[in-house]
Amino acid sequence: MSSETERPARHKQGEIEGVQLKELRTFQDDRGFFREAMKITDGLFEEGLDCLSHTTLIAGKTHGWYVRADGCGWWYLPQGVARVRLYDRRPDSVSFGERVELCIGENELAGVIRIPAGVVYGFQAEQTSNLVYVTDRAGSEGGEQLAVSDGLVEYDW
């Protein structure tokens, strides 16, 4: 049995080259639900996969800004809801300077976001949430944390 519901608008602004959102299907019955989040055949994993991580996000807390210089990441929130803010600072990208806000989480917001190297990201949990993420290069030395207040990306957190 499939639970198909109309989805709320996810995008608040433009699009960023290389950022992909895979919307997930949920199959639900009286025993619970099943959701397949990631498959190697999805076409999202050209870079390959290296590390699976899990973190808990506290409601209202801001995480970011972060950027990976040489690696790609995929995010999935199996529990909770978070607003994800992205900024393309790659000078050779067709979407250079573009800002995007996405909402991901459980139920009708179920999805996996692919964030390519060079795209700055931050997020804020709207409720206590669990984030599962995969990277193509574990412990990459190319990761960098930027101060939320550094003015790089203008967002009202």
Side-chain angles (χ1 to χ4, degrees):
M1 170 187 279
S2 175
S3 173
E4 299 288 331
T5 59
E6 189 171 320
R7 294 177 178 268
R10 292 184 186 235
H11 298 275
K12 291 202 175 187
Q13 293 156 354
E15 292 185 7
I16 293 178
E17 178 184 24
V19 172
Q20 295 172 284
L21 174 65
K22 174 191 172 190
E23 294 184 0
L24 303 180
R25 292 182 59 201
T26 300
F27 301 90
Q28 191 166 358
D29 63 23
D30 62 347
R31 300 168 294 178
F33 77 88
F34 169 79
R35 180 180 297 139
E36 191 171 72
M38 302 172 79
K39 287 175 58 175
I40 202 70
T41 56
D42 284 340
L44 298 175
F45 310 109
E46 297 169 359
E47 297 83 0
L49 305 178
D50 189 67
C51 181
L52 173 71
S53 302
H54 173 227
T55 188
T56 298
L57 312 175
I58 304 301
K61 299 293 183 180
T62 300
H63 301 260
W65 297 102
Y66 302 98
V67 64
R68 291 175 51 100
D70 65 349
C72 188
W74 298 265
W75 293 4
Y76 170 54
L77 266 80
Q79 181 263 323
V81 175
R83 289 183 294 148
V84 179
R85 280 79 183 260
L86 305 165
Y87 170 71
D88 191 351
R89 76 171 195 179
R90 302 168 297 169
D92 296 333
S93 170
V94 297
S95 55
F96 176 71
E98 188 70 46
R99 293 170 175 82
V100 171
E101 181 177 308
L102 302 170
C103 192
I104 62 170
E106 59 187 305
N107 301 325
E108 69 274 358
L109 297 174
V112 174
I113 297 177
R114 176 188 180 273
I115 304 172
V119 173
V120 177
Y121 57 92
F123 50 96
Q124 185 176 64
E126 294 186 2
Q127 61 193 58
T128 298
S129 303
N130 282 291
L131 170 65
V132 176
Y133 60 99
V134 176
T135 57
D136 63 338
R137 295 186 180 132
S140 171
E141 296 299 320
E144 175 184 1
Q145 182 170 359
L146 310 170
V148 171
S149 61
D150 73 358
L152 174 67
V153 184
E154 296 297 324
Y155 272 109
D156 182 11
W157 291 95

